Amino acid sequence: MRDFWFRIGAPVAAIALFALLLWGVFSVTAALLFTLLALLIVMARHVRQLSRLERWLHDARLETIPEAGGIWDDVFSHLYKMVKQHQQTRQELAAELQHIEQATAALPEGVAILNESNRIEWCNPLAQQHFDLDAEHDFMQDITYLVRQPEFIGYLHASNFSEPLVMRPARHDDMVLSIKLIPYGANKRLLISRDITQLERIEAMRRDFVANVSHELRTPLTVVSGFVENLQDMRDINNDDARRALHLMAEQTRRMDNLVADLLTLSRLENDQNPPREELVDMHALLNEIYQEGLLLDGNKHVLRLDVLSGLKLRGNREELRSAFGNLLGNAIRYTPEGGEISLCWAERDGQSVFSVRDSGIGIAPQHIPRLTERFYRVDRSRSRETGGTGLGLAIVKHIAIRHHAKLEISSEQGKGSVFSLVFQATGD
Ligand code: ADP
């Protein structure tokens, strides 16, 4: 700084001194004329450098920085350092950016950044491939104009992204994508797409296999159980051991029959990609039917109650709903000791319709509850078998719930009883 003032002050001081000398030797006019002339020359030099600086600033490149003397030499050399540092930082940032781009390009998933109005700010090559995007053309375009499937648009506008969306892109319908939206920062969203075509194929093969095996088992099983029934009806079989064997055979074929029937129901529900055929279901009538069937199945072992507290009808598939409600009631009967209470209830809760089955049965320990809807998951294998369970009932209920956009809620206390509720979002009138 001192250097700066010295460089500015020195010429002015020299002019002033020389002017004083002129005043002493010649006259005040000569001194003033000299001062004026000298200051004009200094000013002209500064104006010239300023204009060079101004011209350079239009295209500030290191190679074209002007050379100058005096104070301007300092100014230009500072500018030189600044521009050089700026260039270096830019190069480092560009290298960093390239690094990140290379890393995201190598990701096995499609990644796109969407702003608050769903415009594409950036996407990696896999996202371009999945959604058929053009990186240059589609930059800052609204993604809902480019990917128009209603389920995708619905997912984008939803507020809950905990579950991924599975969809087939419009232009590659042989591809299956799993899509997830992750909100971050101020209203930005990361759109992650994963190609799950192979996984889906394996899953479809598994479903087909189970469906085919169950189907193939059906005929031989019907034949065997028919013969067993015929043999049981024969009066001339008097041997006790043979009678016992026939009884066991009949019991086991019935179990297998139930198992195959449940497997086929589950396969049908899993394979049916179409939404269920819907109608407005009169819940009062349906629940009465289920209650009457429950009374028959129960054979007066428990106290059964039906509370229809809501007059709302339900939009859904009557047969599927009947199967789900019947399964829950069947379980309550099977897992409640004799003399216990079981109540069926249809009610409204926070604008939702709820079907629930409450029992005073054996209850379920908390660690089992999240796994109950898995196929063949049983808390007590032998009890399930003894009571004629297949281990597939709650898996069927869960699938039916999903198809009806409903939620299966389970609350239970060991030794005290359980409540299984199906919570339906949309109600009919
Ligand atoms: P299962 O044919 O074995 O009953 P489910 O899928 O219907 O198969 O049920 C899975 C398991 O959940 C059952 O084995 C049982 O342990 C438990 N469970 C279901 N309902 C009840 C209930 N009301 N009370 C106690 N446990 C239950």
Side-chain angles (χ1 to χ4, degrees), residues 327-328 331-332 334-336 359 362-364 372 374 377-380 384 388-395 412 418 420:
N327 255 308
L328 293 181
N331 278 352
R334 288 170 37 232
Y335 296 105
T336 303
D359 66 53
I362 58 172
I364 307 154
L372 291 183
E374 289 173 20
Y377 188 86
R378 288 125 154 172
V379 176
D380 179 347
S384 161
T390 60
L392 294 172
L394 290 181
S412 186
S418 319
F420 284 75

Side-chain angles (χ1 to χ4, degrees), residues 53-208:
L53 173 65
E54 206 269 340
R55 251 181 292 133
W56 179 77
L57 282 174
H58 279 295
D59 178 19
R61 277 183 291 134
L62 277 184
E63 313 83 67
T64 55
I65 197 151
E67 278 182 22
I71 189 74
W72 284 98
D73 192 35
D74 279 4
V75 172
F76 285 129
S77 89
H78 271 115
L79 278 172
Y80 183 86
K81 276 188 212 143
M82 271 169 63
V83 172
K84 195 163 180 183
Q85 190 156 16
H86 178 68
Q87 270 190 357
Q88 212 169 345
T89 318
R90 256 177 61 167
Q91 274 166 3
E92 279 168 13
L93 281 175
E96 202 64 39
L97 200 65
Q98 204 182 12
H99 208 144
I100 294 172
E101 277 189 3
Q102 279 169 351
T104 45
L107 274 176
E109 290 174 345
V111 184
I113 294 176
L114 305 181
N115 71 6
E116 63 283 3
S117 40
N118 290 326
R119 289 180 188 277
I120 306 166
E121 290 192 341
W122 177 86
C123 61
N124 74 350
L126 255 185
Q128 292 165 32
Q129 196 183 320
H130 289 165
F131 298 111
D132 228 10
L133 302 175
D134 182 314
E136 272 176 38
H137 257 109
D138 298 334
F139 176 68
M140 286 318 271
Q141 290 288 328
D142 188 332
I143 195 160
T144 55
Y145 290 152
L146 307 164
V147 184
R148 288 166 171 263
Q149 278 108 311
E151 68 268 32
F152 177 77
I153 295 175
Y155 182 70
L156 226 57
H157 291 133
S159 50
N160 181 5
F161 306 116
S162 55
E163 289 293 318
L165 167 76
V166 175
M167 66 168 238
R168 289 175 188 274
R171 301 224 182 128
H172 315 274
D173 59 357
D174 52 341
M175 185 193 268
V176 186
L177 290 180
S178 164
I179 288 164
K180 193 142 194 201
L181 214 55
I182 303 169
Y184 77 96
N187 289 331
K188 299 255 180 199
R189 298 188 294 176
L190 212 55
L191 180 72
I192 312 278
S193 53
R194 194 150 65 93
D195 184 350
I196 55 161
T197 315
Q198 204 54 25
L199 271 176
E200 275 292 301
R201 229 169 256 157
I202 294 168
E203 180 64 12
M205 267 165 62
R206 182 197 62 77
R207 285 198 301 260
D208 287 350

Side-chain angles (χ1 to χ4, degrees), residues 332-392:
I333 291 173
R334 288 170 37 232
Y335 296 105
T336 303
E338 256 188 85
E341 286 174 21
I342 296 166
S343 60
L344 302 178
C345 180
W346 175 242
E348 279 172 64
R349 190 177 77 193
D350 307 328
Q352 295 168 316
S353 300
V354 184
F355 167 80
S356 58
V357 182
R358 177 186 297 274
D359 66 53
S360 61
I362 58 172
I364 307 154
Q367 72 271 24
H368 295 294
I369 293 181
R371 302 197 55 192
L372 291 183
T373 55
E374 289 173 20
R375 294 176 196 109
F376 299 115
Y377 188 86
R378 288 125 154 172
V379 176
D380 179 347
R381 218 157 251 280
S382 54
R383 179 163 189 140
S384 161
R385 279 213 194 96
E386 273 164 30
T387 55
T390 60
L392 294 172

